[in-house]
Amino acid sequence: MYELTHNQAQTIVDRMMKDIPYNINIMDQTGMIIGSGNKGRIGTLHHGALKAIKQGKIVEIHKDEEFVKKGINLPIEMNGHIVGVVGISGEVKETRPFGNLLKSAVILLIDQSIALEKENLKNNLKQEFFSLIIDSDTTYTKELMNQALTYGIQLSKPSQVLYVDSSNEIAEDITVGFPSFKISKTSLCLVIQEADKVEALQQLIRNQNPDALISISKVNDTISEGFLQAKSAMRVLKGFYFNEKTISYSKCEFIADMSKLQKNDTKAERLIHLLEKNDELIKTLQVYLGCNLNANVTAEKLIIHRNTLNYRLNKIHTITGKDPKNILELVELIFMLINRII
């Protein structure tokens, strides 16, 4: 049987008393006041509610007595059970017209609360499942494989993982028909088991979120491997490239894997700290790399003079101690760019 909580009851009372000019009390199935316009009465027994629960019908009290005040008390029934009582204090002839209206509103709000709890439970179960399938230590048991089918995933079938990252909140149902899981409010993971649908899926995402970043794993036997690949590729995309919005793990596999090895490197962390507040220099380095170290093309893309570009590259050298024009030192700067992305 559903049980009303104090928070639910008080929220309903506060909301309804904005429209009804009488004190409202909400009692639980034992007759205890759990929500009231008179906060001092919360936690006390309501004798009118006890009568309504015992008789299973509306109880009208026409005059104040020792333990009860005049008003109307209506039992709240759900699925044949009384889950509480709503009471309105005041002259019965004045409060009676509000009775059924208030009772209906309370039942509606309870229904909404139940629906929300069910949805939260559903989402929690889905999140627990997602946490399992991206864990490399998870074994694909028969039970897990059956659970996966409810989300449209065949764990025995190879798959690709598509990682979407947006600057704004992204809806989980952005791509109807494909299994999707929220990573955060602005990021999403999709499991694709039909290789010929990848391009169409990307276009669908682009149509709804033009600025979203997308990374795509290789085809793998496990979703956990695909997730790691897509996540690593996303870090490369966000750290290494400027103005690029899509990347495949297969195109950056070496640098993505190397960046994972360098993630806890203290030298990389020091370089990150040195440049973390200088967006102009970071952007310059990203464009320089994207232009394959071609200074003329880089200056043109940045819309700056060649001398200005040289000044910025020299400044990077001065700040970090790493020369962008030296290929070995540039590699360290590349890892710095990638590892600054969490």
Side-chain angles (χ1 to χ4, degrees):
M1 184 173 68
Y2 185 80
E3 291 187 10
L4 275 168
T5 67
H6 163 66
N7 287 338
Q8 288 173 328
Q10 194 59 50
T11 298
I12 293 170
V13 167
D14 293 341
R15 186 181 302 180
M16 299 307 297
M17 284 188 64
K18 291 179 180 179
D19 301 312
I20 296 177
Y22 298 96
N23 184 59
I24 296 173
N25 296 307
I26 293 181
M27 286 63 71
D28 63 16
Q29 70 272 22
T30 68
M32 193 70 69
I33 299 176
I34 56 174
S36 177
N38 180 357
K39 303 295 193 298
R41 297 193 66 189
I42 294 175
T44 63
L45 196 62
H46 193 288
H47 293 270
L50 282 176
K51 288 183 180 179
I53 293 169
K54 185 176 181 179
Q55 298 175 17
K57 63 181 183 179
I58 298 172
V59 170
E60 296 180 347
I61 299 172
H62 293 269
K63 62 179 182 178
D64 290 339
E65 299 176 10
E66 184 179 359
F67 296 109
V68 295
K69 292 184 178 294
K70 56 188 174 184
I72 185 170
N73 299 282
L74 303 92
I76 305 167
E77 289 188 31
M78 299 191 71
N79 299 321
H81 298 283
I82 295 177
V83 299
V85 177
V86 59
I88 312 175
S89 302
E91 296 292 340
V92 171
K93 65 179 180 180
E94 296 175 2
T95 58
R96 189 184 292 130
F98 294 106
N100 286 327
L101 175 65
L102 181 57
K103 178 181 175 180
S104 297
V106 170
I107 291 174
L108 178 61
L109 291 170
I110 291 173
D111 284 338
Q112 289 177 346
S113 178
I114 292 173
L116 181 59
E117 286 179 7
K118 287 182 178 178
E119 185 64 23
N120 287 337
L121 177 60
K122 179 181 174 182
N123 290 336
N124 289 339
L125 289 173
K126 186 175 183 181
Q127 194 59 41
E128 287 177 9
F129 169 76
F130 179 63
S131 297
L132 279 174
I133 62 172
I134 63 172
D135 185 342
S136 59
D137 293 329
T138 295
T139 301
Y140 286 176
T141 62
K142 184 177 180 180
E143 182 183 4
L144 187 63
M145 293 177 79
N146 289 335
Q147 187 181 2
L149 292 175
T150 65
Y151 300 112
I153 299 173
Q154 297 181 51
L155 291 180
S156 60
K157 187 176 179 180
S159 61
Q160 283 179 277
V161 170
L162 191 147
Y163 194 119
V164 184
D165 192 278
S166 176
S167 56
N168 302 310
E169 186 167 353
I170 188 167
E172 190 169 334
D173 59 355
I174 183 176
T175 50
V176 178
F178 290 93
S180 61
F181 303 88
K182 290 293 285 286
I183 300 169
S184 69
K185 286 185 177 181
T186 59
S187 56
L188 191 67
C189 176
L190 295 102
V191 178
I192 311 162
Q193 298 190 300
E194 299 172 78
D196 60 336
K197 299 292 180 64
V198 174
E199 285 192 23
L201 181 56
Q202 289 184 69
Q203 190 56 54
L204 184 60
I205 294 169
R206 285 270 170 259
N207 290 341
Q208 298 184 53
N209 292 267
D211 296 323
L213 301 178
I214 301 174
S215 63
I216 309 157
S217 77
K218 296 197 295 186
V219 178
N220 297 281
D221 290 332
T222 63
I223 293 171
S224 61
E225 183 63 23
F227 179 74
L228 285 175
Q229 291 177 359
K231 188 177 180 180
S232 296
M234 178 60 74
R235 290 178 59 237
V236 173
L237 176 61
K238 295 173 76 172
F240 188 89
Y241 292 97
F242 182 77
N243 279 343
E244 293 291 331
K245 294 180 180 177
T246 304
I247 193 170
S248 295
Y249 174 77
S250 58
K251 299 295 184 181
C252 65
E253 185 171 353
F254 175 77
I255 195 71
D257 289 347
M258 286 296 294
S259 68
K260 285 189 290 185
L261 296 176
Q262 296 285 328
K263 182 135 182 74
N264 296 317
D265 183 75
T266 55
K267 290 182 180 178
E269 290 179 359
R270 181 175 60 83
L271 294 179
I272 294 167
H273 176 69
L274 291 172
L275 282 183
E276 65 181 351
K277 294 183 179 179
N278 202 319
D279 292 339
E280 184 181 73
L281 294 183
I282 289 175
K283 175 183 175 182
T284 298
L285 187 55
Q286 288 174 324
V287 175
Y288 182 59
L289 290 165
C291 294
N292 293 317
L293 317 187
N294 187 311
N296 289 328
V297 176
T298 302
E300 184 178 336
K301 282 208 171 188
L302 290 171
I303 316 176
I304 59 176
H305 193 276
R306 172 72 179 266
N307 291 339
T308 303
L309 173 62
N310 285 328
Y311 169 78
R312 291 184 185 178
L313 294 176
N314 289 334
K315 191 173 182 181
I316 290 172
H317 187 186
T318 300
I319 293 174
T320 65
K322 305 299 175 183
D323 186 359
K325 298 175 185 178
N326 180 301
I327 190 63
L328 293 178
E329 295 182 8
L330 180 61
V331 170
E332 292 189 64
L333 291 170
I334 290 172
F335 288 135
M336 177 274 294
L337 287 174
I338 297 171
N339 288 329
R340 71 185 236 279
I341 305 300
I342 298 174

